[in-house]
Amino acid sequence: MELRQLKYFVTVTEELHFGRAAERLHIGQPAVSQQVRRLERSLGVPLFSRTTRSVELTEAGRRFLPEARAVLAAAERAREAVAPSVGPVRLGTSEGLGDRLDALLRAFARRAPSASLELVHAPTLERLQRVRDGSLDATIVRGCEPAAGLDFTPLWMDDVWVALPASHPLAAEPEVPFASLASLPARLSPPSRNRPLYDLVVSCCRSAGFEPLLGADFTTAQDTLGTLGFGRPHWTVFYRAHAKLLPVPGVVFRPLREPAPRMQTYLATPSNRRLTPELVALIKAARETETG
């Protein structure tokens, strides 16, 4: 039995798919399958029930999973005990954090003045996977769903603002009632890219008494804002912190009301590895920002 076999086994249990597990591990799928089968042979029991359409844990696999995780956690603690991390804290970030990120970095610098921080930008799911596999120490995420191997520390609540063509009558209002958007097409990131924000906006539309009229998908901030105001008017949403970084000719950003949407932001950290003093300082700094 080898540690890499245990790591491959645990990754497959989290994905229930050998191909996705291989992608997370950055190795070929045949290598994952081969090492898992060797592990099963050494144990004398099948750990997975495999079909062409699904992968499921056997009863033996379910019993073995917590023990495998315990061994991997113990191995990580042993490694850190003799070779403590001296590199930078690797923090995943998302687009448009603005002054929110600045406040977190200032709080971290006060708590760990000798530590260095490396910021890494990547899609949300990739950042969460990298926290699990250890190539990131933590990541900032907006909204969250239960995720194996991760802990979530609340950071701040972000206001969600509407972006409108400057020529539209609603642009003259200091705040925009949600119900007034009912007749305009919305450009939203689809659930496959940003389910928390999509669900929040759709639920606000329904609270205001209408189903959103969905137009083209939100692609990038530059492209979406570039088309806003040209042709048929439409609307989209941005977090307040991001909107303040985006002065775009012909586009205005306004707070929303009735309802006023807000999104919770979290710091995701590994739940199965010993936290370094620097990462503990980052978590404490994150808690300092849990306002506003």
Side-chain angles (χ1 to χ4, degrees):
M1 186 185 305
E2 301 177 12
L3 286 177
R4 65 169 174 167
Q5 293 172 344
L6 298 181
K7 182 178 180 181
Y8 295 178
F9 163 72
V10 170
T11 305
V12 174
T13 67
E14 292 173 351
E15 297 292 340
L16 290 180
H17 190 282
F18 278 83
R20 290 194 296 269
E23 290 178 5
R24 273 182 54 185
L25 294 163
H26 305 294
I27 60 175
Q29 181 176 337
V32 176
S33 299
Q34 181 185 60
Q35 292 302 322
V36 170
R37 290 191 183 279
R38 287 182 179 176
L39 177 62
E40 290 174 319
R41 285 197 297 271
S42 70
L43 294 170
V45 293
L47 299 173
F48 294 102
S49 174
R50 305 164 174 85
T51 70
T52 56
R53 295 185 177 181
S54 66
V55 176
E56 296 180 357
L57 278 169
T58 63
E59 180 59 32
R62 283 190 287 272
R63 293 196 304 269
F64 185 65
L65 178 58
E67 306 301 331
R69 282 180 168 152
V71 171
L72 290 173
E76 179 68 15
R77 290 193 298 271
R79 183 191 67 80
E80 292 175 348
V82 297
S85 174
V86 295
V89 175
R90 298 155 299 178
L91 175 64
T93 65
S94 58
E95 188 176 23
L97 294 173
D99 54 2
R100 298 293 200 180
L101 179 60
D102 294 340
L104 173 59
L105 299 185
R106 286 195 299 270
F108 177 67
R110 288 194 299 270
R111 289 187 168 274
S114 63
S116 60
L117 196 66
E118 177 185 340
L119 301 182
V120 179
H121 183 76
T124 300
L125 292 180
E126 179 182 336
R127 283 184 279 121
L128 292 173
Q129 290 175 1
R130 291 182 63 179
V131 173
R132 288 193 194 96
D133 67 26
S135 59
L136 282 179
D137 297 298
T139 187
I140 298 171
V141 288
R142 289 182 170 114
C144 75
E145 299 176 358
L150 297 174
D151 292 329
F152 293 90
T153 300
L155 297 181
W156 53 76
M157 295 290 289
D158 250 335
D159 295 326
V160 178
W161 286 6
V162 65
L164 290 161
S167 58
H168 195 277
L170 288 174
E173 301 293 329
E175 295 181 337
V176 176
F178 238 104
S180 64
L181 301 173
S183 62
L184 290 176
R187 286 193 67 170
L188 303 177
S189 290
S192 59
R193 287 181 53 202
N194 194 338
R195 176 164 290 280
L197 182 59
Y198 178 89
D199 288 347
L200 175 63
V201 173
V202 170
S203 69
C204 287
C205 292
R206 290 171 179 167
S207 294
F210 70 97
E211 288 291 326
L213 178 62
L214 298 177
D217 286 346
F218 185 107
T219 52
T220 65
Q222 179 178 343
D223 291 346
T224 301
L225 290 174
T227 60
L228 197 64
F230 290 91
R232 185 182 179 190
H234 56 278
W235 61 277
T236 188
V237 293
F238 280 82
Y239 297 106
R240 178 203 63 83
H242 195 184
K244 289 192 170 185
L245 300 174
L246 292 169
V248 178
V251 175
V252 297
F253 300 93
R254 294 289 182 264
L256 286 156
R257 61 180 173 88
E258 299 172 359
R262 306 184 84 201
M263 178 69 77
Q264 179 70 63
T265 301
Y266 298 89
L267 181 72
T269 52
S271 59
N272 57 357
R273 294 197 300 275
R274 185 175 68 86
L275 302 180
T276 64
E278 293 80 8
L279 190 50
V280 170
L282 181 63
I283 293 171
K284 290 180 178 178
R287 289 178 177 146
E288 288 184 25
T289 69
E290 193 182 346
T291 57

